[in-house]
Every structure is written in structure tokens, then in C-alpha cells.
Amino acid sequence: KVYKRDKQTAINALSRAYFKCEIDSNHPTFKRKNVNVDYTEPHHLIPMAAQDYFEYTIDFAHNIAVLCPTCHRKIHYAQAHEKKDMIQHLFASRKAGYAQYGIEITEELLLSFYKILD
């Protein structure tokens, strides 16, 4: 199932992070070809595939992490122990803010969406 995403919401998240990787702002990237900002990619920390679990939308800037291309691929395709550290780092900086959007989530639930179970 594909969920509608608002492009402007992703742009707002990228801008909020100053187009820097939220895992490490010093990660190398390159400049976008039409705009003089670093190339980074938006990533829904609570994956859009989990939308049906929640009453309210999870497509909001607070839920969108800004990642360099390497970290974005890593959070999707790395081994579980590597992804877990990234997810925990990103969640720690956001967990308090989810309630204002009507989203109740624990670190354990978030990790389960990534199939990371202890």
C-alpha cells in the first residue's frame, strides 16, 4: 500500500536540518545541481508503511529525518545492529515531540517496524 506524502513537508524537514545529515552533519555529500545546498534525503523515521497503526498522519516534518545518501541506504539495508544505533539516535531527539501530533510510540514499537527485535 502506498501512502500519500506531501512534498512540501519533506522540503520543510530538509530545511529545518539545514540540509545536513542528522546522524553526523559532517558526512560528505555534494551540492544539489539546481540549488546551492547539500544533497540530503528525507526519511520517515516512523515508516509510512506503519501508517495504518496510527489514527493520525505520520507524514509531518518532525517524523522526517534528514540523512546523507549513505545513511539513508544504511537505515534501509544495513544489518539490524547497525540500523538500531541510527534509529535510537534519531528517536531520542524526537520522542518527546510525537505526542503533539497525536502519535504514541515507544522505541520498542519503532524498532519493530524495522524488524529489529531483541
Side-chain angles (χ1 to χ4, degrees):
K1 188 171 181 180
V2 176
Y3 296 94
K4 187 174 176 10
R5 293 167 171 89
D6 178 43
K7 183 178 180 179
Q8 188 59 50
T9 298
I11 292 168
N12 292 346
L14 291 165
S15 179
R16 178 200 73 234
Y18 302 102
F19 299 89
K20 298 291 183 188
C21 181
E22 291 186 63
I23 297 298
D24 183 338
S25 63
N26 293 315
H27 279 171
T29 185
F30 53 90
K31 296 293 182 190
R32 290 180 178 268
K33 68 179 177 179
N34 294 326
V35 186
N36 191 31
V37 296
D38 289 338
Y39 179 85
T40 48
E41 300 172 344
H43 172 77
H44 287 85
L45 185 58
I46 303 172
M48 289 303 294
Q51 177 61 71
D52 286 344
Y53 187 89
F54 300 96
E55 179 180 354
Y56 301 105
T57 185
I58 55 175
D59 186 33
F60 52 88
H62 185 77
N63 186 42
I64 299 176
V66 175
L67 303 173
C68 68
T70 299
C71 284
H72 196 193
R73 291 290 149 287
K74 185 176 177 182
I75 208 166
H76 281 287
Y77 303 113
Q79 294 180 359
H81 70 279
E82 291 186 79
K83 293 195 293 190
K84 183 177 181 179
D85 291 341
M86 297 172 69
I87 294 163
Q88 289 174 318
H89 170 79
L90 294 168
F91 184 66
S93 68
R94 291 175 160 72
K95 64 183 171 184
Y98 278 118
Q100 71 182 352
Y101 298 94
I103 303 300
E104 297 292 327
I105 187 165
T106 63
E107 182 179 290
E108 293 76 21
L109 178 59
L110 179 60
L111 291 170
S112 76
F113 293 145
Y114 288 85
K115 311 269 190 283
I116 299 172
L117 308 170
D118 287 332

